[in-house]
Amino acid sequence: MKTSISHLPESKQHELQRVTQLIVETVAPEKIILFGSYANGTWVEDRYTEGHITYEYISDYDLMVVTKAGEKRRDYEITDQIKNRLRFRVPVNVVTHDIEYVNRKLSEGQYFFTDIIKEGIILYDTGNMAFAVPKELSKEERKTIAQKDFDNWYFSAKEFLIDAKNAFQRRGFKNSIFYLHQSAERIYNTILLVFTGYKPKTHNLDRLRSLSKAFSPELYLIFPSNTKKEEYLFSLLERGYIDARYNNDFKISETELSVLIDRVNRLLHITAKICKQQIEGI
């Protein structure tokens, strides 16, 4: 695997060194690998203003943290520990799995992991455990898998969006926002599966949105998080999974729900476009 990040600006090299140090101090991993745009040199930092609103798109640092064999902590617990330590201007996405899981997926040809091994940059390695030899899938095999995942998850996302719209028409706003959350979750999973073959075990929309970010700035900026109002709107969508069902004090207005339905509808259309392009290009 590659080991140098010398293609990055010095400031980013120092930042990644600090990120690596904090992760090692926090969870004592087996390996840390940089993948995605900062590994392949395609990262973006873009800021522009429309009217009185400033939009900012900054590529995330994407890191796979490989824990030791027999790790007792759950992956999400380790990820949360890491995220709680990292406070940088550039957002940090962390994918965490133990070495046995990663090696099993490499042996199966799971191309999210095989691509990371092929294109990623090792930032930290204890040297105690080696990666398995990756199984290479043919382009035809990858295309078949991606198309199957798209057909399954995109159809499910469309169905939940229809349910959200129907519940909205009945003024069942709590049911509507729950269905809308489910639609958004499936939209992000569609993108991740088509582009990487990987679906994390999480219902956290912010995490899914961050992991999908690299594949479409247009998609990410539907929920730009550049104002308190935008942050609140996205938080309502996130809370649709639990609070809308179990919290009697949860409230959402007709206007807020209408805006969110429109946003998720736009997510769906963009997803169809970029996923079809990706499948055709495999």
Side-chain angles (χ1 to χ4, degrees), residues 10-143:
E10 198 168 310
S11 60
K12 297 200 179 293
Q13 293 183 47
H14 290 320
E15 197 164 50
L16 279 169
Q17 289 164 1
R18 179 59 178 155
V19 169
T20 301
Q21 179 185 359
L22 287 171
I23 293 174
V24 172
E25 291 174 359
T26 304
V27 298
E30 188 70 38
K31 305 174 190 290
I32 302 172
I33 301 168
L34 176 70
F35 66 97
S37 60
Y38 284 96
N40 60 36
T42 62
W43 77 91
V44 175
E45 290 191 2
D46 188 26
R47 176 180 291 186
Y48 62 94
T49 301
E50 289 184 2
H52 63 286
I53 301 175
T54 298
Y55 296 88
E56 185 175 66
Y57 181 90
I58 299 176
S59 297
D60 297 2
Y61 292 134
D62 294 310
L63 300 174
M64 183 167 75
V65 176
V66 182
T67 54
K68 301 178 189 303
E71 174 61 60
K72 301 300 183 186
R73 295 167 294 181
R74 295 181 184 273
D75 292 338
Y76 74 84
E77 294 173 336
I78 296 172
T79 300
D80 287 346
Q81 282 183 279
I82 293 169
K83 297 288 279 184
N84 289 336
R85 287 292 306 273
L86 303 181
R87 295 289 184 270
F88 294 90
R89 177 174 175 268
V90 175
V92 182
N93 277 329
V94 178
V95 173
T96 306
H97 293 291
D98 67 67
I99 185 70
E100 293 170 325
Y101 179 90
V102 173
N103 279 343
R104 185 167 69 252
K105 293 301 178 182
L106 288 171
S107 300
E108 294 170 357
Q110 213 285 355
Y111 53 89
F112 174 73
F113 295 98
T114 61
D115 286 352
I116 288 177
I117 300 307
K118 189 188 307 179
E119 301 167 6
I121 299 172
I122 195 86
L123 301 179
Y124 174 80
D125 190 358
T126 64
N128 296 328
M129 292 284 290
F131 284 125
V133 176
K135 175 185 176 182
E136 290 288 343
L137 298 180
S138 68
K139 287 186 176 182
E140 290 74 20
E141 288 173 317
R142 289 180 68 148
K143 180 174 281 192

